Amino acid sequence: MWTSVLAVAAGGACGAVLRYLIGLIPIPGSFPVITLGINFLGSLAIGAISEAALDGAALSRRWVLFLKTGLCGGFTTFSTFSLETLELLEQGRGWMAGAYAAVSVAVCIAGALLGKLAVRAVKTAF
């Protein structure tokens, strides 16, 4: 059990640090592009990881914990997304809040799908 806990903790630390570093990229404008991009990349990654883990041969249980629960959990920023959407609403920018929420959901679902499809294509190729 403790090795599983350590796998999640290590992955979470890596994901959080990666999210922090990407967040340092200067992007002009008030639309939260960085958070959107992080959520897309996290969705892409979790889709690929979940597909790769299906047969059990590609990834061990601990690697799945490290990557899916730890890395993706520490990297993706749904709580930040929620706060940014609320702040846009509080600023009276309802149209931007709605657009941001809709685009975020659509892009992240697409990311998860693309991740799964990419792994399926690789599996089929080999």
Side-chain angles (χ1 to χ4, degrees):
M1 178 181 126
W2 286 109
T3 54
S4 296
V5 170
L6 290 173
V8 171
C14 292
V17 168
L18 187 57
R19 180 182 69 223
Y20 170 73
L21 293 173
I22 291 173
L24 296 176
I25 298 169
I27 302 287
S30 59
F31 192 83
V33 170
I34 294 290
T35 303
L36 178 60
I38 287 169
N39 285 335
F40 172 74
L41 291 174
S43 297
L44 180 72
I46 206 164
I49 293 160
S50 67
E51 189 68 24
L54 281 180
D55 59 17
L59 293 172
S60 72
R61 183 177 176 277
R62 283 207 186 88
W63 272 109
V64 171
L65 287 172
F66 174 85
L67 294 168
K68 189 174 167 186
T69 306
L71 186 72
C72 290
F75 180 67
T76 57
T77 54
F78 199 77
S79 58
T80 304
F81 155 76
S82 300
L83 179 62
E84 288 172 343
T85 303
L86 177 62
E87 288 172 345
L88 289 169
L89 288 168
E90 290 174 340
Q91 295 165 6
R93 300 165 90 184
W95 65 270
M96 187 178 279
Y100 180 51
V103 169
S104 292
V105 170
V107 163
C108 292
I109 290 171
L113 176 62
L114 289 171
K116 284 180 148 272
L117 292 174
V119 169
R120 287 177 190 166
V122 169
K123 283 181 176 180
T124 303
F126 293 98

